[in-house]
Amino acid sequence: MENRPTTSNFIRNIVIQDLESGKHKEIITRFPPEPNGYLHIGHAKSIVLNFELADEFNGTTNLRFDDTNPTKEEVEYVKSIKEDVQWLGFEWDNLYFASDYFEEMYNRALLLIKKGKAYVCDLCPEEIREYRGTLTEAGKESPYRNRSVEENLDLFQRMRNGEFKEGERVLRAKIDMTSPNLNMRDPVIYRIVHESHHNTGDKWCIYPMYDYAHPLEDAIEDITHSICTMEFEDHRPLYDWVVRECEMESQPQQIEFARLNLTNTVMSKRKLKQLVDNGVVDGWDDPRMPTIAGLRRKGYTPEAIRNFCREIGVAKNQSVVDTQMLEHFIREDLHAKAPRTMAVLRPLKVVITNYPEGQVEMLDAENNPDDESMGMRQIPFSREIYIEQEDFMENPPKKYFRLFPGNEVRLKHAYFIKCNEVIKDDEGNVVELHCTYDPETKSGSGFTGRKVKGTLHWVDANNAMSAEFRLYEPLILDEEQEEDETFLDQINPNSLEILQGFVEENMKDAKPEDKFQLFRHGYFNVDTHYTTEEKLVFNRIVSLRSSFKL
């Protein structure tokens, strides 16, 4: 791991105090995703926080899969989560599954029943909600709340044996139906699910609920600081109740922090899955997705994501971070790393009429002006080249310094050219320009005879490689949702633009995930899905400039 600045925050201060007071001799944290989807940028914040906190104090971090719901969890998600954590630059000390503890959880549930702290309830889910009450009205006790310990033990064993249908019975904690905290009003801690589990197969047909399983998992693993997001703050009394009443030896401490919210970004795995299932995107790793896999495919580096997560900090107050801040860190990272090259995304052919036919010369160019160690490359130049369509106007406004009839511009790394003739098709569209060049103006020659105000990028028409360019805009329109609108109504119909153009010949050896700064266009990544031996496909990571300031 790279050297990194230490940023103080309230969680780090708690850890320091706990170590200094002797409350803990070692810090043990965990990252506990449910394998029901791919990780997103919000999870990256939690990963960086948990792993780096333990790392700073020579502690331990577990990767634990909270796999207590077999209806939504898949091996594919387990595999992707492991890959994402490692790609971000972290290695877990221990790998666990909540399902490894199912027998222990079952035995602790038996303990609760024997203590009179849990009971089997026959109410259906709708009735349980109705009996729970509201924030202003106390709940009503279930008619099954006062079953005997013996009856509850018998029924719970029969639930495990598979004698009942889904929803027919549940096991509930017996706490307080008048509690102002709805989470404490006899929450369900076990439900019946007749579905095969990715890890335990068909061994179980009863599964623990998250609020019961999670504190037990933390206690079993001797987690010292159970760090989670603010929506679990109201669940903390139940967390502590489970640990206490199940008589766990270890007493983990739950600490909440504000989750990451980004402009124009969905942070719900359920909604992200909706985008995938409805074909709005071409998978969890679509570059428009805020998933770690999507950001990686788009071209983000783990260094940029880690630096972003550190910069946004850790607090309790909810806030929304501008996506431009994330873009700032990838620009900063790639400015130093990415080789420079030229590409034309919307080609317009230019014929240099006074350049010798059949002649090709090689021009020298730096791969990165800020890093001499990246060396030089050679660019072929001949009579026919491509420039950007937007770099020519037949009737330009004032202060337009690019190419127009009679105007002279510099070609990057090459010569001055002057536009003499415009060729159009039958519909009046400009299809070709005829220009002349001045051989005295070669870049690097020291020519000082006259100056031009415009410099254009270009590629050689006879030697350039064809390429596809994918330009992205936010997938979600950051607007107020109308009452009759669904989440899918906020999808930006113009989130992807696909262009066919050309890149320099030297790009023929580019491989998937190679990153480049394309002159004037921004930073691009070679796509992992659509690139073939015959064709390069580039994803634009980010444009070159932004008005955003840290």
Side-chain angles (χ1 to χ4, degrees):
M1 185 66 63
E2 80 280 22
N3 291 327
R4 56 179 182 265
T6 299
T7 306
S8 185
N9 60 65
F10 79 96
I11 296 178
R12 182 173 177 271
N13 292 339
I14 291 172
V15 168
I16 291 171
Q17 187 176 348
D18 288 347
L19 289 170
E20 290 178 346
S21 68
K23 180 180 179 180
H24 298 297
K25 292 180 180 178
E26 181 193 11
I27 295 303
I28 305 176
T29 64
R30 83 288 174 270
F31 175 61
E34 183 182 356
N36 63 349
Y38 280 57
L39 300 182
H40 55 61
I41 185 68
H43 295 108
K45 178 179 178 179
S46 180
I47 291 169
V48 171
L49 175 58
N50 278 286
F51 278 88
E52 292 193 348
L53 192 64
D55 183 54
E56 181 184 351
F57 297 101
N58 298 312
T60 298
T61 302
N62 298 339
L63 174 61
R64 181 213 304 147
F65 290 97
D66 250 323
D67 56 346
T68 58
N69 186 355
T71 62
K72 295 181 178 181
E73 295 154 359
E74 297 179 20
V75 174
E76 174 195 351
Y77 300 140
V78 172
K79 182 172 178 287
S80 73
I81 288 168
K82 289 180 182 177
E83 289 176 352
D84 288 346
V85 172
Q86 290 176 318
W87 179 77
L88 280 171
F90 300 103
E91 284 293 338
W92 49 88
D93 294 283
N94 303 289
L95 177 64
Y96 296 122
F97 290 84
S99 52
D100 295 337
Y101 313 135
F102 279 174
E103 195 69 45
E104 172 79 1
M105 293 174 185
Y106 177 78
N107 289 332
R108 297 289 172 170
L110 292 177
L111 174 63
L112 290 178
I113 293 172
K114 291 172 184 175
K115 292 171 64 174
K117 297 288 186 177
Y119 62 97
V120 174
C121 183
D122 298 3
L123 294 178
C124 70
E126 291 75 19
E127 290 171 324
I128 289 176
R129 278 194 291 273
E130 185 183 328
Y131 273 60
R132 181 173 290 132
T134 66
L135 291 171
T136 55
E137 295 178 0
K140 293 188 300 180
E141 292 188 357
S142 165
Y144 308 99
R145 194 173 195 265
N146 296 313
R147 278 175 164 154
S148 68
V149 169
E150 291 72 24
E151 186 181 4
N152 282 319
L153 287 172
D154 175 63
L155 287 171
F156 191 46
Q157 179 65 54
R158 290 172 64 192
M159 285 172 62
R160 177 175 182 171
N161 293 344
E163 296 183 29
F164 306 120
K165 298 175 184 176
E166 289 187 18
E168 195 172 344
R169 285 187 164 92
V170 294
L171 183 70
R172 297 175 67 178
K174 186 189 285 189
I175 308 179
D176 182 3
M177 289 304 293
T178 64
S179 171
N181 186 333
L182 269 63
N183 296 297
M184 301 298 281
R185 295 182 186 177
D186 291 11
V188 174
I189 58 176
Y190 265 92
R191 79 285 205 198
I192 299 168
V193 181
H194 292 290
E195 190 154 333
S196 187
H197 188 280
H198 78 96
N199 195 30
T200 59
D202 296 317
K203 181 179 178 181
W204 294 88
C205 63
I206 56 170
Y207 291 92
M209 301 297 288
Y210 178 89
D211 277 348
Y212 171 73
H214 191 75
L216 292 182
E217 295 157 28
D218 285 346
I220 291 167
E221 295 174 17
D222 293 320
I223 301 301
T224 57
H225 300 82
S226 178
I227 303 167
C228 59
T229 46
M230 287 301 297
E231 60 262 38
F232 293 101
E233 185 176 31
D234 290 340
H235 297 244
R236 196 195 318 148
L238 178 55
Y239 180 100
D240 293 337
W241 183 92
V242 170
V243 171
R244 182 177 66 254
E245 296 298 339
C246 286
E247 300 178 12
M248 304 304 291
E249 248 181 74
S250 178
Q251 302 285 316
Q253 178 185 0
Q254 177 176 303
I255 308 170
E256 306 87 13
F257 71 99
R259 65 183 295 170
L260 171 62
N261 295 299
L262 274 178
T263 55
N264 300 97
T265 307
V266 174
M267 291 295 203
S268 158
K269 273 198 283 188
R270 179 183 59 82
K271 289 183 176 179
L272 293 176
K273 189 173 188 301
Q274 212 176 334
L275 294 174
V276 175
D277 292 345
N278 288 329
V280 176
V281 294
D282 65 359
W284 285 95
D285 68 345
D286 186 298
R288 291 167 291 180
M289 293 278 273
T291 56
I292 304 298
L295 291 166
R296 177 180 181 176
R297 184 174 159 201
K298 191 175 184 182
Y300 275 79
T301 62
E303 294 85 355
I305 294 174
R306 292 198 302 265
N307 288 335
F308 167 73
C309 290
R310 293 168 193 148
E311 181 64 32
I312 58 177
V314 178
K316 279 190 173 286
N317 294 331
Q318 299 284 4
S319 61
V320 180
V321 178
D322 196 320
T323 307
Q324 290 185 82
M325 187 173 178
L326 178 59
E327 294 174 348
H328 163 82
F329 283 100
I330 188 62
R331 280 193 193 94
E332 191 175 69
D333 192 42
L334 291 182
H335 179 77
K337 296 178 180 176
R340 276 49 166 170
T341 191
M342 294 190 292
V344 173
L345 278 55
R346 298 176 178 85
L348 174 60
K349 193 170 190 179
V350 173
V351 178
I352 304 172
T353 55
N354 64 332
Y355 194 88
E357 288 193 42
Q359 178 175 306
V360 179
E361 65 177 300
M362 304 304 290
L363 305 174
D364 293 326
E366 295 170 302
N367 284 323
N368 189 332
D370 296 324
D371 186 354
E372 290 183 6
S373 69
M374 294 181 72
M376 305 286 290
R377 70 185 189 281
Q378 289 201 309
I379 308 170
F381 180 81
S382 65
R383 180 183 171 89
E384 296 180 350
I385 62 171
Y386 291 119
I387 65 168
E388 294 288 349
Q389 292 177 14
E390 66 179 30
D391 284 343
F392 172 80
M393 289 187 73
E394 193 170 12
N395 299 296
K398 288 183 178 180
K399 296 188 177 179
Y400 182 83
F401 300 124
R402 301 176 201 173
L403 205 56
F404 55 87
N407 192 42
E408 191 172 43
V409 297
R410 172 175 286 287
L411 296 177
K412 181 75 172 171
H413 305 302
Y415 300 94
F416 288 9
I417 62 169
K418 183 177 182 180
C419 180
N420 302 307
E421 186 180 1
V422 180
I423 310 299
K424 299 180 181 181
D425 61 16
D426 294 339
E427 296 176 355
N429 300 309
V430 176
V431 295
E432 188 173 293
L433 302 177
H434 288 181
C435 298
T436 52
Y437 88 115
D438 182 348
E440 301 296 321
T441 59
K442 186 174 182 178
S443 184
S445 66
F447 175 79
T448 57
R450 60 188 181 280
K451 296 189 180 298
V452 292
K453 292 186 176 180
T455 298
L456 309 185
H457 63 280
W458 55 278
V459 293
D460 186 84
N462 297 309
N463 295 286
M465 293 188 62
S466 63
E468 181 174 292
F469 302 91
R470 294 176 161 244
L471 311 183
Y472 300 98
E473 295 295 333
L475 183 60
I476 304 299
L477 297 169
D478 205 14
E479 298 172 351
E480 290 288 327
Q481 188 170 315
E482 300 294 333
E483 283 187 17
D484 58 345
E485 279 189 325
T486 68
F487 154 67
L488 294 175
D489 292 323
Q490 290 184 288
I491 300 299
N492 179 4
N494 302 311
S495 62
L496 171 62
E497 182 180 14
I498 300 176
L499 302 172
Q500 306 299 328
F502 299 93
V503 292
E504 288 182 30
E505 181 191 37
N506 70 299
M507 298 286 278
K508 63 181 180 296
D509 296 324
K511 303 181 297 297
E513 294 197 7
D514 282 353
K515 296 160 184 60
F516 301 90
Q517 185 195 105
L518 303 187
F519 187 69
R520 283 176 52 202
H521 287 302
Y523 293 99
F524 285 72
N525 185 52
V526 181
D527 187 68
T528 52
H529 280 209
Y530 297 117
T531 295
T532 65
E533 289 185 4
E534 292 74 35
K535 188 172 188 178
L536 284 170
V537 178
F538 291 89
N539 297 317
R540 182 158 69 183
I541 311 166
V542 68
S543 60
L544 281 180
R545 291 182 180 83
S546 169
S547 58
F548 181 80
K549 295 283 191 298
L550 272 181

